[in-house]
Amino acid sequence: MNTQTILQAQDLDLFYGENQALKAINMEIPERRITALIGPSGCGKSTFLRTINRMNDLIPGVSVRGKMTYRGEDIYSPEIDVTWLRKKVGMVFQKANPFPMSIYDNIAYGPRIHGIRKKAELDQIVEESLRGAALWDEVKDRLKKSALGLSGGQQQRMCIARALAVQPDVLLMDESTSALDPGSTMRIEELMSQLKERYTVVIVTHNMQQAVRVSDHCAFFLLGELVEYGPTQQLFSQPKDKRTEDYITGRFG
C-alpha cells in the first residue's frame, strides 16, 4: 500500500544560540503511520518533534535553517500562520497537563478558541473526541467535574482527546507514557494503533520495546544527527549502522 509523505525535513539544522542541536536532518514521514523517534537523552529527538509544530519558537535564541514541510508547504515560511499550523499538528506532552476546569471545558477549549459556540456542536465534539481517546465510557457521567480528579492515565487520554477536538491531521506525542503505570501505558499504546487509521502519529520514546510494539517506522537520533531511519522491524532486526546496533542492543544510552 502506497503511503504519501505528509512531513518532510530537508537539510534541517537547529541551533540554541551557538549550540547546534540538529544537524542536516533529512527525513520523510508517511501519512497515517506511527513514526517513533528513539535515541539517548539529549540526542535531538524531542527538539526534532517540536520543529514539526514550531514549539521551539517559544525558546529564546532558537534559529532554524533548511526546511520542514507539511503537505509540501514550508512551515517556517513567513506566510505560515502558526495558530493554523498548531491546529493541524497537535501535541501531547510527557506529563499530562489538564487545565483546572471541567473535563467538558478542557475538550471544548480548542474548538471555542476557533469560534465554535453552539452547545449541540460542542457536545458532539466533546463526545467524539473522548470516544477517539477511548475515554468516553469512563467519564461520560462526570463531564462537569474537574479534570484534575482523573487518574494519571485518564488525564493523559483526556489530553489526547483535547488535541483531537480541533481535528488535527498530525499528532505529536513526546514520551506520553513515560510517567504512567504499565496498565495505562498499554491503553495508550492500543489507542495509538487505533489513531493511525485517521491521523499521522509521531512519538518520541525512551522505551525501545514500545517503539517495536507500536511504530511502523523508526528513526534513531544521536548527538543531533539522524543516524538511521526505516521500517521499524528492519531497523531493529537488521540495523545498517553499527551505532544503531550498539544502541538497540544496550551497549550505550
Side-chain angles (χ1 to χ4, degrees), residues 44-231:
K45 54 192 188 297
S46 287
T47 297
F48 178 73
L49 190 77
R50 291 195 300 266
T51 62
I52 301 173
N53 71 343
R54 292 186 49 175
M55 288 298 280
N56 292 315
D57 290 16
L58 306 171
I59 302 167
V62 161
S63 59
V64 175
R65 288 198 307 232
K67 262 183 158 176
M68 170 64 79
T69 62
Y70 161 68
R71 296 199 180 282
E73 279 195 78
D74 182 1
I75 66 165
Y76 283 88
S77 129
E79 285 83 61
I80 287 287
D81 175 355
V82 178
T83 307
W84 168 83
L85 174 69
R86 291 189 187 140
K87 181 177 186 287
K88 290 290 182 189
V89 184
M91 188 152 193
V92 180
F93 296 92
Q94 183 170 358
K95 193 172 183 309
N97 56 341
F99 303 145
M101 51 180 76
S102 71
I103 296 167
Y104 184 98
D105 287 337
N106 262 275
I107 310 300
Y109 184 85
R112 281 176 175 145
I113 282 180
H114 292 288
I116 295 171
R117 293 279 177 269
K118 288 185 181 155
K119 186 177 183 305
E121 202 175 341
L122 287 169
D123 286 353
Q124 185 181 353
I125 289 168
V126 168
E127 178 173 344
E128 282 176 5
S129 304
L130 286 165
R131 284 190 186 281
L135 191 58
W136 173 252
D137 290 336
E138 292 166 52
V139 302
K140 62 182 184 218
D141 300 325
R142 49 196 275 214
L143 294 177
K144 297 295 179 198
K145 298 237 167 78
S146 170
L148 301 173
L150 296 170
S151 72
Q154 288 175 323
Q155 285 187 9
Q156 195 59 295
R157 280 183 285 144
M158 193 212 66
C159 291
I160 293 170
R162 193 172 65 199
L164 299 181
V166 294
Q167 298 180 311
D169 203 8
V170 178
L171 200 56
L172 309 176
M173 303 179 80
D174 193 359
E175 295 200 52
S176 306
T177 61
S178 65
L180 302 179
D181 61 83
S184 298
T185 296
M186 194 173 80
R187 296 289 300 272
I188 289 184
E189 287 183 7
E190 286 168 1
L191 175 56
M192 286 178 195
S193 299
Q194 293 161 17
L195 290 172
K196 76 172 180 185
E197 291 171 20
R198 293 180 59 190
Y199 309 95
T200 301
V201 182
V202 186
I203 68 169
V204 166
T205 181
H206 262 113
N207 181 332
M208 282 187 275
Q209 287 74 32
Q210 180 174 73
V212 172
R213 284 193 299 266
V214 304
S215 71
D216 302 289
H217 293 80
C218 192
F220 171 52
F221 281 78
L222 186 64
L223 302 172
E225 291 178 33
L226 176 58
V227 172
E228 188 164 344
Y229 175 53

